[in-house]
Structures are given as C-alpha cells and as structure tokens.
Amino acid sequence: MGVSNKTAIVTGAGSGIGAGIAAKLAKHGANLVVCDLNGDSAKSVAEKINTAGGRAIAVSADVTNWEEVSAMAEETVHVFGSVDILVNNAGALKDNSILRMPLEDWELVINTCLKGAWLCCKAVLGHMRAQGFGRVVNIASRAWLGNPGQSNYSSAKAGVVGLTSSLALEFASHGVTVNSVAPGFIEAPMARRLPPETQEKVINAQPIKRPGRIEDVANAVLFFCDEETSYVTGQILYVDGGRHVA
Ligand SMILES: NC(=O)c1ccc[n+]([C@@H]2O[C@H](COP(=O)([O-])OP(=O)(O)OC[C@H]3O[C@@H](n4cnc5c(N)ncnc54)[C@H](O)[C@@H]3O)[C@@H](O)[C@H]2O)c1
C-alpha cells in the first residue's frame, strides 16, 4: 500500500520541487532514481536520501535525449527490479514576448518540458504495462491556461496536459494511471527567478495570498502515486492557492 517498495524515477530531481518530491516518496518507502541534467546535484539529493535511511541512486541524464532516457529506464529495472512510478518534473523557463523570443528559447522550453516528458513516458510505459501497474505524474503548471510572456512555457505545459489525457486513455486498462499536478507560485527556484514585482503580482492574484510550499506539491504527487489511488486518471490537480478559479 502507499508507495512502499515501489520504484520511482523523478526527473529534474537535483533541485527545487523535484528534490522535494524525491525526498517525500523516499520517506514513504519508495526506491528512488534521482535524475537530473546536473549529475552533481542529483548525487547530492540521492546521498541525502540514503543518509536519511532511504534507497536512492543518482542518474545524470538529459530528458530530451532518447539514448540517455532509455538507458536510465534500463538501469532502474536492473538496480531495483522494476519501474513503478515516473514523475516528469524536469522543466525550463525562458520568458519573453513572442516578438523578442529567440527560437532557441522556444525549443529549449518545449523540448525540456514536453519532449522530455514524452520520451520518459515512452521509456517506462512498456515496463508498466507488462507488470500491470504504473503511476505517471506529470508536473504541468497553472500557466498552461496562458500567461503573457510565456508563449513557450504555456504551450509546453498545455502539451503536458494533453499528453496526460492521451496516455490516461491509452493505459487505463493496464493498471497504469496518468495524472498531472499543476502548481502555481511555489517557493522554488523557477518562480524565485522571476522579477520581484512579477512575484508580488502573481501572489496578489491568488485567493490564498502566500507562495506555495514544495511540500504542497509533493503531497499532491504522493496522492497520485499511491497504490490505492487506482480509480483516478487523466486528472489535473491544481496546487496554486486557488489562482485558476480567481
Ligand atoms: N517553481 C514554481 O513556482 C513552479 C510553478 C509551476 C510549475 N513548476 C514546474 O515544476 C518543475 C520544477 O520546477 P522548480 O521550480 O523546482 O525548478 P528548478 O529549476 O529548481 O528545477 C528544474 C530541474 O530540472 C533540471 N533539468 C533542466 N533541464 C533538464 C533536462 N533536459 N534533463 C534533466 N533535467 C533537467 C534542472 O537541472 C533542475 O534541477 C518544473 O517542471 C516547473 O515547470 C514550477
């Protein structure tokens, strides 16, 4: 029950929200594959989990690279015997008006958030279908509903929501659920890189006038990953202080 003895891959887990999700799942008894583009930060998160009595390995992988992603899935099965949970959390932010946005910034954000999630799903869903069990949680964003200056990010996260619905339908009969968590403003590096006046504006637009905690997102992810959450799929759970209804 719960996530005990399940094996989870969390991408972009070397910092911020991903590190918090990895720690939360490990605390609840899951084996962790801490994946990040930055191998050193992945190692440091995995070490912290192991020191706290959990079981974690670090994998340095670029989620936009199919060879690296498929090798990570194989290593996961080799080390822990299965892959039961995938949390697609790796992301990138490069805000600008579309008129000033270079093509590279469109491609970086679309590739990291959307192509990366698609590749990681492609790498693990065969294993999950074969074992008749799986939990995929895609970290979207409230921004998928649209934000000025985020044509790349909002499009990428809208794509993540579409990916979630499609895969929920494709894998429902195989014991695999696919859900999204859509955070709003969270006390984590990505949001804290926004200009201070933008941060203030965003928080003021929320019914709950404080930044969210990493723990708030991790709790939502844990709910979807639970073995007992087997009748919830294709869902978007907003963790945004009510911003999406404001
Ligand atoms: N912080 C927020 O307020 C907020 C709000 C909504 C959604 N989100 C989403 O939550 C997720 C985590 O955000 P965060 O604030 O913790 O950001 P962060 O920048 O701290 O974490 C992103 C991590 O992803 C890693 N990464 C980037 N490109 C990668 C790649 N190609 N392959 C593997 N790893 C890669 C980075 O090295 C980093 O460790 C992102 O998907 C983000 O879009 C964040």
Side-chain angles (χ1 to χ4, degrees):
M1 290 302 139
V3 295
S4 187
N5 294 317
K6 298 292 184 200
T7 295
I9 297 175
V10 182
T11 69
S15 76
I17 294 174
I21 293 168
K24 171 70 72 176
L25 294 176
K27 192 174 155 202
H28 286 260
N31 307 314
L32 256 297
V33 175
V34 178
C35 158
D36 206 282
L37 189 58
N38 181 332
D40 289 340
S41 59
K43 255 191 216 146
S44 129
V45 170
E47 270 167 27
K48 268 190 208 147
I49 290 173
N50 288 324
T51 305
R55 291 171 304 275
I57 61 165
V59 172
S60 170
D62 177 350
V63 294
T64 69
N65 180 307
W66 170 245
E67 280 71 35
E68 292 183 22
V69 166
S70 55
M72 171 171 68
E74 294 313 318
E75 187 181 348
T76 303
V77 174
H78 177 72
V79 173
F80 291 119
S82 68
V83 50
D84 308 299
I85 296 166
L86 167 67
V87 183
N88 281 311
N89 166 81
L93 197 67
K94 285 275 176 190
D95 292 358
N96 216 332
S97 155
I98 188 171
L99 300 178
R100 287 190 297 272
M101 186 180 289
L103 182 60
E104 304 90 271
D105 288 358
W106 163 265
E107 286 175 346
L108 174 77
V109 171
I110 294 285
N111 286 346
T112 309
C113 297
L114 181 55
K115 178 184 173 187
W118 186 83
L119 286 178
C120 290
C121 287
K122 190 172 171 64
V124 303
L125 279 167
H127 295 287
M128 291 180 176
R129 186 177 59 183
Q131 69 193 9
F133 177 86
R135 298 281 180 264
V136 177
V137 183
N138 295 320
I139 305 302
S141 169
R142 199 251 22 129
W144 84 275
L145 296 167
N147 267 345
Q150 294 198 323
S151 57
N152 50 0
Y153 187 70
S154 292
S155 303
K157 294 300 190 178
V160 165
V161 170
L163 178 70
T164 302
S165 315
S166 281
L167 295 182
L169 292 169
E170 252 185 77
F171 288 86
S173 59
H174 298 287
V176 179
T177 65
V178 186
N179 291 287
S180 291
V181 170
F185 188 98
I186 305 297
E187 279 286 8
M190 195 170 278
R192 285 306 188 194
R193 282 193 287 267
L194 294 169
E197 58 281 9
T198 310
Q199 295 188 30
E200 206 185 313
K201 227 160 96 184
V202 171
I203 291 170
N204 281 336
Q206 295 174 184
I208 300 173
K209 300 210 181 300
R210 65 160 175 88
R213 292 177 287 258
I214 289 176
E215 184 86 5
D216 295 322
V217 180
N219 285 335
V221 172
L222 179 66
F223 167 72
F224 284 134
C225 293
D226 196 302
E227 204 173 349
E228 292 193 69
T229 310
S230 57
Y231 198 55
V232 179
T233 197
Q235 190 60 253
I236 307 171
L237 178 50
Y238 290 91
V239 181
D240 68 346
R243 171 93 195 276
H244 71 288
V245 288

